[in-house]
């Protein structure tokens, strides 16, 4: 067990950049044994050169084979994983009817199907053990409609809903389940989702760093918070979405995306 983190091992998906990489670096500082998952093996190898005790698992989580290999590793009883971070995800920005349908399928496959399969594998191992942590990376957009990012927002609503339900389901078992819901965070997400131009319209004070998101998520899953929202700005926004009438929220999100 590392000195200052309450986890004995971790598996992080989407560890090759952005928030996932920041989580791996944060845990790596404590020397925690970790399994790092992504498609770009060279990025994971570079990370393993820098940090101790990293096991590399190159996998495309939108393929049956890749997902199965990672689920098997998550469920291992020989080398148990104490913290599973379902972080890999991507978005696609633009008018829904103009977007590539196969890409949207892959987005749902990664953000929804893979996350569900790995959550299932994680809790299947952790609940009988009476210990474990599951951190599912969602988004603040999970709380509101998001025109021009509709499928992404819908997948993240699924993630928040699933994770909150699981948090309640495993209450009292010793297993912690948390949905991490970041706001704007500068990573490769903006270029991958083709939202760089739109995202750059937001002022600097609206951006959180991947490191800030990583620290907050790890602290909150350690404390067994159901929902983790990094940054005062985004916590206030999420609180406001809880009190604004749905119609007002919808029109506001439409205006923001114009
Ligand atoms: N950045 C933001 O503003 C923001 C805000 C809210 C929520 N989020 C969420 O935060 C999470 C991390 O995103 P990020 O911002 O750090 O973006 P990022 O820098 O693009 O990282 C995405 C990670 O997912 C991995 N990945 C993508 N497709 C994959 C696949 N098919 N199989 C396995 N791994 C795959 C990528 O690795 P490879 O390409 O090497 O496979 C990469 O490591 C996502 O779930 C995202 O939705 C981001």
């Amino acid at each position: 067990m590392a000195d200052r983190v309450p986890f004995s091992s971790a598996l992080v998906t989407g560890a090759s950049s952005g928030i996932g990489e920041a989580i791996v670096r944060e845990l790596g500082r404590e020397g925690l044994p970790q399994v790092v998952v992504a498609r770009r093996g060279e990025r994971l190898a570079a990370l393993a050169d820098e940090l101790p005790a990293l096991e590399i698992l190159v996998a495309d989580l939108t393929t049956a084979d890749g997902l199965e290999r990672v689920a098997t590793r998550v469920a291992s009883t020989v080398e148990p994983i104490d913290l599973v971070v379902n972080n890999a995800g991507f978005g696609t920005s633009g008018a829904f009817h103009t977007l590539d349908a196969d890409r949207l399928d892959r987005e749902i496959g990664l953000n929804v199907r893979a996350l569900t399969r790995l959550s299932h594998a994680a809790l299947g191992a952790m609940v009988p053990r009476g210990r474990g942590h599951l951190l599912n990376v969602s988004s603040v957009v999970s709380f509101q409609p998001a025109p021009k990012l509709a499928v992404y927002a819908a997948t993240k609503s699924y993630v928040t809903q699933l994770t909150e339900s699981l948090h309640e389901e495993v209450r009292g078992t010793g297993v912690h389940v948390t949905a991490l819901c970041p706001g704007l965070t500068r990573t490769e997400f903006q270029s991958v989702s083709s939202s760089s131009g739109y995202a750059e319209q937001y002022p600097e004070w609206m951006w959180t760093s991947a490191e800030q998101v990583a620290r907050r998520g790890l602290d909150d899953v350690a404390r067994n918070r159901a929902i983790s929202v990094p940054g005062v700005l985004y916590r206030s926004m999420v609180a406001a979405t809880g009190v604004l009438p749905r119609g007002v929220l919808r029109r506001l999100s439409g205006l923001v995306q114009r």
Side-chain angles (χ1 to χ4, degrees):
M1 172 92 91
D3 286 345
R4 289 193 297 116
V5 293
F7 318 111
S8 52
S9 58
L11 179 144
V12 182
T13 71
S16 61
S17 73
I19 294 167
E21 181 182 340
I23 288 174
V24 171
R25 287 186 182 283
E26 189 68 24
L27 296 171
R29 260 195 285 283
E30 308 292 334
L32 195 78
Q34 300 184 72
V35 183
V36 287
V37 182
R39 292 167 302 179
R40 286 172 293 179
E42 71 287 357
R43 293 271 192 110
L44 300 179
L47 209 48
D49 284 343
E50 274 184 64
L51 300 170
L54 291 201
E55 176 186 330
I56 293 172
L57 186 39
V58 176
D60 181 342
L61 292 170
T62 62
T63 66
D65 164 68
L67 184 53
E68 202 42 48
R69 285 189 291 115
V70 179
T72 301
R73 184 64 189 86
V74 165
S76 171
T77 49
V78 181
E79 293 175 290
I81 304 289
D82 188 34
L83 166 68
V84 171
V85 184
N86 274 317
N87 162 77
F90 74 93
T92 310
S93 92
F96 174 67
H97 67 282
T98 66
L99 299 176
D100 179 65
D102 291 337
R103 181 181 160 111
L104 296 179
D105 263 352
R106 286 196 301 279
E107 186 174 332
I108 295 167
L110 182 62
N111 298 7
V112 172
R113 193 177 311 115
L115 177 136
T116 305
R117 177 77 181 85
L118 298 183
S119 297
H120 184 265
L123 296 188
M126 291 171 183
V127 173
R129 214 185 286 147
R131 178 190 163 85
H133 305 80
L134 174 62
L135 182 62
N136 284 341
V137 181
S138 184
S139 166
V140 288
V141 303
S142 68
F143 300 102
Q144 66 210 38
K148 309 260 177 79
L149 213 52
V151 171
Y152 177 70
T155 66
K156 292 302 184 179
S157 294
Y158 174 93
V159 173
T160 299
Q161 176 89 1
L162 173 79
T163 308
E164 264 196 287
S165 300
L166 297 179
H167 175 91
E168 279 311 309
E169 251 186 57
V170 303
R171 187 182 282 280
T173 64
V175 178
H176 295 189
V177 179
T178 300
L180 173 57
C181 303
L184 285 171
T185 310
R186 233 183 275 284
T187 64
E188 293 176 14
F189 178 86
Q190 287 75 35
S191 58
V192 173
S193 64
S194 309
S195 62
S196 302
Y198 152 75
E200 291 311 322
Q201 295 167 11
Y202 290 98
E204 199 51 45
W205 55 267
M206 290 192 75
W207 291 84
T208 37
S209 70
E211 292 71 27
Q212 187 185 350
V213 171
R215 277 194 291 273
R216 180 79 195 199
L218 291 172
D219 281 352
D220 283 344
V221 74
R223 293 188 193 126
N224 199 22
R225 297 245 164 94
I227 303 279
S228 172
V229 182
V232 177
L233 169 70
Y234 292 109
R235 279 196 287 287
S236 313
M237 275 174 54
V238 169
T241 61
V243 293
L244 283 173
R246 193 77 184 167
V248 173
L249 201 59
R250 201 162 48 236
R251 289 302 297 274
L252 280 175
S253 63
L255 289 173
V256 167
Q257 296 286 341
R258 243 174 251 291

